[in-house]
Structure formats: structure tokens, C-alpha cells
Amino acid sequence: MAPRTRKSAASSSPATDTNGDAPPSLPPQDDTGAVVDVDALLAPAPGEEREEVKVNNASATDMKHACDDALKRYLSRPDLFKQIHTHTDVRLALGWLSVLVAGATGLYGWRVPFEQSKPGVWAGVIVYIILTVAQTLYAYFVEGDIVFVGKRKTFDKRIVTERITVTSRTTPSTPTSPPGYSLGLAYVRSAAGGKTLLGKGRAEEARPYTDFFDERGVMDQVRLERWIASIVSRVMDGKAQ
Amino acid sequence: MFADELKTLRRLGVRHVLLQVLNFTSVLASGLMIWKGLGLLTNTESPIVVVLSGSMEPAFYRGDLLFLTNPTDQRYQVGDITVYKIPGADIPIVHRVLETHDFVSKNKGLVAAAPVVDKQLLLTKGDNNHIDDIELYQGLEWLERKHIVGKVRGFLPYIGYVTIAMNDFPQLKYALLGGLGLLALVQRE
């Protein structure tokens, strides 16, 4: 899209359209001096094939999951971030290990007569309890509300690593407002394997679910992506604090 | 009917499918571990049993749920309601203790380490039966402690009919399991 020239506030052409993703005339610069055209990177691809996403718009959980999935799909685009699956992998590993321990204990208790099997079954139950407690503590303290962790490496003069962590919550509805989707972003840009901090940014914003879902429950993915793009570009432009 | 869910699953990838299957299997695993843990705490291999026959009426009717424990520090006494299993019989039987014969250790000057170290022989009878259980012992004259699964501590009426129904109609069991599985696979927490 051609950059919009900014007219003075007094005159406004009736043909000005109000969509917000046209890049400003000057792309932002980071402190390495290179020009990073973040907004062009983040603009949703216009002709992209999208599957229709339809959820039950009475369930805030379903809507949150749909927004989270759209966010992950959007941020995992080839030229944007690469998702780091550590939290999911830890959860899967602990979970499947506990299921295997439970299965093995059950099988052992079934095959061996009760009195003989008691020490083995005690061991199995205790290991299972430890694994379940570990899973719960990890999910509560370490993972929390995080839905996406992404990394990006770019080369200009030196290897620049960017890392973004996205958390999302549902803000409860009040008598005057519908339930909302609250997104929190934490962004770090570093070089030389994480030793030099180039930039850091943090943002949090909430929008009601009614902005993204219509009365049938169909999600307006382009609108969601534009909103995410605006927050991400704001966060990525931040200088080192 | 499940086209939307299947489309979502295909789009979300392997990790997501693994997570959903984990949801289902971890429900089963936690149920199993709770059962085994309860068995260890009560010192019996089946802490909860269902009454199948009417031989203990009017105390217990068919379909009642019974809660058992097997205390190591107490002897069984006349009047206790026990569940026992004869080797060679498939189902355990719940009847009342009619007679007990306790053996006292012959070693003079030595004290038994626990009340249950000395052997105990038991004879049982169902409240609603006319004769005692000698016929059911399959050749044994007395029950020994090792045959006893546990002693009844409490009961809940009627709940056991769910288990009886699932045993008599296995399709019900598979339908329930299948329904639970489907629900766990497509629902996200």
C-alpha cells in the first residue's frame, strides 16, 4: 500500500480510509542504524487463504482458545517468529511419564498377589503423586498465562536475536461490558548470543471479544491480526531501557 | 457432526493431538492411582465392593456399595461382617463371622509381636441363609486370615447398581468409555 501522506488535522479528506495498517512514511530505526521495516513484516497478507473459524460465542473459553490459536498461527509465519515449544514439551513429558507410571503400577498390581505387590505399588503411587505435583507447580508458576514464546534471528552486521513472550487472559464481563481478551507482550532484542541488550519492550492491551466474533461465532481473523500487529510493532520499536 | 473438530485438530498439529490424548489418559490414570492408593491405605486389594446376592438381607441388599478395611492390628471377632475369597472361586463372598478359634502361641516365655501373629480360624454364615458356609469353602474346614479381603466398615445403598449394569451389559461400559474419550479429545481446558 502506498504510504499515506499525513495532512494537517484541520483538513481531512472524505476519502481517507480509517484502516490502521498502512505503514507510516518513515520506517522506524533501531539503534544499530539499520532500517527495520517492522510494519511491512507484520501486515497481514491480503490474498491469503484462510479457513473459516467458527466457535460457540457464548463460551469465553472457546473464544479465548480460538484467539490464542489465531495468534500462534499469525506469529509463527515464516518471516516472523519461530515458536519455542518448551512449555508444551515439559507438560507433555511430565504428563505422559505419569500415565506410564500409573499404567505400569496397575499392571504390576494386577499380576502379582496383593501382599507381595504392596512395596511396588507404594513406590508407583508415590512417584505418580510427585509427578502430578510437579506438573501442577510447573503449570501454575512457570507457565502461568503464557500462550506463545517465539524467537527470531536476523543477520545485519551481527546476529540479532529477538524473543517474544505472549500471555493472554479473559477479562470477566461486567454489567456494562462484554468479556474481553487481554494480551500481554514481553519483547527482548539482544545480540552476541544474548549478552548485549539492544532493546526491550512490554505492552498490555485488552479488547472485548465482540470486536472479533460476529453473532454467528465466526472470527474476523484479519481484524485480530491487525490488532496484534499494532501491539507487536509498538513493542518491537522500543529502545533499550 | 465432528467435521469442525476434525478440521481444528488437523490444523493444530501433532503436539495438540498428543495433549488432548493426554487429557483423556490422565483422567484414567488418576482414577487408577486413587483406587490403588485407597487399597494401600486400607490394606485390602478391593477397598470398595458391590453386593451381588441377597444372602445378607436385611442388612445388605443386592446393589449396595460396601467399604472395606483390613486392619493388621486387630483380630476378627464374632459379629464382624467380612468379605472373603476362597482360592478357586471367582467371586468374593460377604458374610458374617459366626465362630472364631484363636491359637495362642505354644512357646512359653515368649510374647507374640502383634495380635495377628497368632493364627485365627473363622467360620462364617450369611444372615439370610439357613446354614453356615462350610459348603462354600470347597474342602476347607475353616477360613484363615489370608483368605479375608476385608471387614465392612460402612455402606451406601443402591449405588452399586451402576457397576452391576455395566457388568451385565458390557456395551454400556464401552459406550461410556467411548463417550468420555470423545469428550476429552475435543474439549480444551
Side-chain angles (χ1 to χ4, degrees):
Chain A
M1 283 184 197
R4 218 168 6 129
T5 48
R6 293 187 185 274
K7 303 199 174 162
S8 62
S11 67
S12 54
S13 125
T16 309
D17 84 282
T18 52
N19 80 32
D21 67 344
S25 28
L26 264 177
Q29 308 213 344
D30 71 59
D31 58 358
T32 62
V35 169
V36 174
D37 195 358
V38 157
D39 287 325
L41 209 58
L42 290 167
E48 197 176 295
E49 271 281 316
R50 283 175 215 282
E51 276 180 43
E52 184 189 74
V53 176
K54 185 166 184 297
V55 296
N56 171 17
N57 61 0
S59 157
T61 328
D62 280 355
M63 290 197 285
K64 176 183 184 297
H65 286 311
C67 291
D68 288 345
D69 293 340
L71 172 88
K72 283 181 222 178
R73 269 200 309 277
Y74 175 63
L75 288 178
S76 307
R77 287 192 328 191
D79 45 351
L80 274 178
F81 298 94
K82 184 164 180 299
Q83 187 172 7
I84 298 178
H85 294 282
T86 313
H87 289 309
T88 314
D89 288 346
V90 168
R91 205 208 273 188
L92 278 175
L94 283 177
W96 279 106
L97 195 64
S98 67
V99 166
L100 289 175
V101 165
T105 311
L107 207 65
Y108 178 68
W110 182 50
R111 283 296 170 83
V112 175
F114 180 66
E115 285 296 321
Q116 267 177 280
S117 69
K118 278 204 278 199
V121 178
W122 267 117
V125 171
I126 289 175
V127 170
Y128 180 81
I129 292 176
I130 291 174
L131 285 172
T132 310
V133 169
Q135 261 181 287
T136 313
L137 291 177
Y138 187 87
Y140 190 71
F141 289 112
V142 178
E143 199 177 340
D145 285 332
I146 298 175
V147 288
F148 182 84
V149 179
K151 201 157 108 155
R152 185 159 160 255
K153 281 192 175 162
T154 41
F155 303 89
D156 51 7
K157 294 181 205 159
R158 53 188 162 165
I159 299 175
V160 174
T161 313
E162 295 158 280
R163 192 186 167 98
I164 191 166
T165 306
V166 183
T167 64
S168 79
R169 293 182 305 117
T170 298
T171 52
S173 65
T174 66
T176 45
S177 64
Y181 186 62
S182 162
L183 209 58
L185 271 80
Y187 172 79
V188 170
R189 192 193 301 139
S190 60
K195 296 197 199 88
T196 322
L197 184 64
L198 294 176
K200 214 155 94 155
R202 213 158 246 244
E204 189 159 336
E205 208 179 297
R207 283 278 173 90
Y209 282 116
T210 47
D211 279 5
F212 308 118
F213 293 92
D214 67 10
E215 69 278 353
R216 284 194 304 131
V218 178
M219 185 162 91
D220 186 354
Q221 300 181 49
V222 178
R223 194 156 177 201
L224 181 70
E225 289 179 8
R226 273 196 217 136
W227 176 54
I228 298 170
S230 70
I231 312 182
V232 173
S233 68
R234 204 165 70 215
V235 145
M236 281 172 87
D237 289 346
K239 308 275 183 218
Q241 306 284 315
Chain B
M1 180 167 74
F2 296 109
D4 281 334
E5 279 80 4
L6 282 174
K7 230 186 336 176
T8 321
L9 281 178
R10 208 170 347 121
R11 188 174 48 203
L12 290 171
V14 179
R15 278 191 174 87
H16 178 79
V17 173
L18 277 176
L19 268 174
Q20 294 299 105
V21 178
L22 178 66
N23 273 350
F24 175 58
T25 48
S26 70
V27 169
L28 296 180
S30 60
L32 181 64
M33 285 290 100
I34 290 174
W35 175 257
K36 288 277 173 244
L38 201 61
L40 286 173
L41 288 175
T42 57
N43 192 35
T44 158
E45 61 180 317
S46 33
I48 306 179
V49 294
V50 173
V51 177
L52 291 179
S53 72
S55 58
M56 278 301 286
E57 291 179 20
F60 300 132
Y61 294 87
R62 179 176 151 90
D64 286 354
L65 210 64
L66 300 178
F67 300 99
L68 310 176
T69 64
N70 190 15
T72 49
D73 56 348
Q74 289 168 26
R75 287 170 177 267
Y76 284 97
Q77 295 174 342
V78 173
D80 286 346
I81 305 175
T82 58
V83 176
Y84 63 89
K85 202 148 123 171
I86 303 283
D90 359 308
I91 48 170
I93 301 171
V94 51
H95 282 165
R96 204 181 286 271
V97 173
L98 201 62
E99 290 177 21
T100 67
H101 291 264
D102 298 343
F103 279 83
V104 182
S105 172
K106 294 265 171 55
N107 296 331
K108 305 278 188 229
L110 285 172
V111 182
V116 297
V117 166
D118 293 329
K119 212 153 86 143
Q120 198 179 21
L121 299 176
L122 305 168
L123 178 68
T124 58
K125 174 184 169 299
D127 288 352
N128 210 17
N129 293 347
H130 292 301
I131 50 171
D132 59 30
D133 289 349
I134 295 281
E135 307 283 322
L136 296 168
Y137 290 173
Q138 301 202 1
L140 294 172
E141 272 188 40
W142 300 97
L143 279 184
E144 289 179 45
R145 214 190 150 93
K146 63 178 187 203
H147 300 125
I148 311 265
V149 171
K151 176 164 110 162
V152 177
R153 293 302 184 128
F155 83 110
L156 276 178
Y158 307 120
I159 311 282
Y161 270 114
V162 177
T163 313
I164 292 178
M166 291 213 285
N167 270 343
D168 289 346
F169 308 108
Q171 305 100 315
L172 201 63
K173 202 180 350 184
Y174 298 133
L176 194 71
L177 220 60
L180 248 174
L182 214 60
L183 207 67
L185 283 174
V186 297
Q187 211 172 37
R188 299 171 66 180
E189 80 282 335

